[in-house]
Amino acid sequence: MRILGIETSCDETAAAVVEDGRRIISNVVASQIDIHARYGGVVPEVASRQHLLAIIPVISKATEEVALRDVDGIAVTFGPGLAGALLVGVNAAKALALATGLPITGINHLEAHIYANWLERDPGAGESARVSFPCLCLIISGGHSDLVLMTGHGQFNKLGRTRDDAAGEAFDKAARILGLGFPGGPAIEQAALSGMPCLPLPRAWLKGSHDFSFSGLKTALWHLVHKGEVSVPDAAASFQSAVADVLVTKTIEAAKQLKVRQILLSGGVAANKTITGRFLASSPIPVLIPPPHLCTDNSAMVAACGYYNFRAGGTSSYDLDVVPALSVG
Ligand code: KG4
Ligand code: ZN
């Protein structure tokens, strides 16, 4: 079964064709990062307009190898995300469905991030990691830090979330404090390469809860920087290390408690090598991590999620609407 995935929830216009939820036939991502970078963050109105410009060329490119008539269904992100941005993808998907008669399924962007773990790692090699249930999913993106127990396809139970800033948001704000670029995650990771994690920064353990909190860390970083005398690489390395400590420790602790068979990482922050390296080094439970380009927003993950939705009979009707505040589980 071949699914066309469409994704426009934030600042990436993406379309992909994926076979049987695993094999990536095409995966096209048009990023708007350069346009938003000059404002220091994503401007919703600008994002919607860029999606409008990019959506048809992106879908056309994704369906170059496999024509639309050889696709079996359309999967489109309907939330969470920016309302005006989501509307572009959802309406494009509906128009295509109406024109072709293909079924359509609405996809939760957070669930799609998790499904990046089902995708073939090395296109063409036919290899993909085998996921075993129950697994514990850590979704760390620009808007979310969710800890989710997954017991089967479409079976999600949210155990923890961030109480303030999401992990990616914390990276973006820390980068702004340090005068680094946008998006902050890659900028902090790069700066940290030449620094040492030697500065005293707090970790919010929130004992007895699976929740996270990163705003205190951000404020502590601000105070350190404004007192002066700290080098940007050391501050970046110390911040990154504090985020990694909390994510790794709390996730592994929860995974042991719940006796899950695997830990699945996903979302843009899972592209960070310090964080993934610490998970691999300290977890006694197998950890699956999608390659970096499948951690950040893409549509192959939407198509993979769509495959399992369709298999479970989850077809949407033409009145599918966007849900900007959609959550998982
Ligand atoms: O999943 P994603 O692409 O979009 C959302 O659904 O939000 O995540 C974007 C977030 C941004 O906050 C970005 O700074 C962060 O992921 N990010 C990273 C890295 N690459 C992207 N954070 C840390 N290290 C990275 N290498
Ligand atoms: Zn995302």
Side-chain angles (χ1 to χ4, degrees):
M1 193 196 283
R2 288 169 174 167
I3 306 298
L4 168 68
I6 297 175
E7 157 65 43
T8 62
S9 67
C10 190
D11 59 344
E12 260 93 30
T13 315
V17 177
V18 172
E19 195 168 71
D20 296 337
R22 288 183 179 274
R23 197 170 82 80
I24 299 174
I25 296 173
S26 63
N27 188 19
V28 182
V29 180
S31 172
Q32 307 173 4
I33 279 178
D34 293 345
I35 296 160
H36 297 290
R38 72 183 82 138
Y39 304 106
V42 178
V43 183
E45 184 75 15
V46 174
S48 310
R49 288 171 181 229
Q50 286 303 317
H51 285 309
L52 266 182
L53 293 175
I55 190 77
I56 301 295
V58 164
I59 293 174
S60 302
K61 189 147 199 299
T63 50
E64 260 171 16
E65 253 180 68
V66 174
L68 262 179
R69 64 175 173 278
D70 297 321
V71 163
D72 302 290
I74 301 170
V76 62
T77 303
F78 74 105
L82 304 168
L86 290 163
L87 277 168
V88 177
V90 167
N91 281 306
K94 283 187 194 176
L96 276 180
L98 199 59
T100 56
L102 288 171
I104 184 172
T105 185
I107 300 294
N108 179 322
H109 179 83
L110 300 169
E111 295 177 8
H113 268 303
I114 294 174
Y115 273 96
N117 282 287
W118 269 259
L119 292 166
E120 196 176 87
R121 294 293 191 265
D122 181 10
E127 291 282 320
S128 56
R130 291 284 152 186
V131 180
S132 326
F133 299 121
C135 53
L136 184 63
C137 309
L138 177 67
I139 312 167
I140 33 179
S141 67
H144 296 81
S145 305
D146 288 341
L147 204 50
V148 179
L149 176 66
M150 187 175 184
T151 49
H153 289 294
Q155 306 292 312
F156 304 98
N157 181 7
K158 182 154 79 176
L159 307 172
R161 61 185 166 86
T162 181
R163 293 191 183 170
D164 37 60
D165 294 345
E169 186 182 358
F171 268 96
D172 293 336
K173 289 179 175 171
R176 202 174 305 166
I177 291 170
L178 296 174
L180 300 168
F182 171 84
I188 296 246
E189 182 167 26
Q190 181 62 33
L193 290 176
S194 50
M196 290 294 292
C198 54
L199 303 174
L201 286 172
R203 277 94 171 127
W205 295 114
L206 307 181
K207 290 267 184 237
S209 147
H210 295 307
D211 285 351
F212 299 102
S213 165
F214 296 107
S215 71
L217 169 62
K218 169 195 67 191
T219 309
L221 178 74
W222 189 90
H223 283 294
L224 265 186
V225 170
H226 285 265
K227 265 194 251 159
E229 307 285 311
V230 295
S231 85
V232 168
D234 286 351
S238 304
F239 170 84
Q240 182 173 261
S241 184
V243 174
D245 273 354
V246 173
L247 291 175
V248 171
T249 307
K250 294 199 65 148
T251 304
I252 293 176
E253 208 173 81
K256 283 184 190 159
Q257 261 176 31
L258 295 157
K259 300 189 169 44
V260 294
R261 300 176 69 177
Q262 288 173 336
I263 292 172
L264 271 54
L265 302 190
S266 61
V269 182
N272 185 286
K273 293 273 174 296
T274 296
I275 294 173
T276 55
R278 293 239 195 125
F279 264 105
L280 293 173
S282 38
S283 178
I285 296 158
V287 182
L288 300 191
I289 308 164
H293 72 284
L294 297 177
C295 286
T296 49
D297 284 351
N298 66 86
S299 198
M301 67 186 197
V302 175
C305 187
Y307 168 76
Y308 289 99
N309 262 17
F310 278 123
R311 275 202 0 183
T315 304
S316 305
S317 60
Y318 285 132
D319 60 10
L320 174 68
D321 197 0
V322 301
V323 183
L326 189 67
S327 70
V328 65

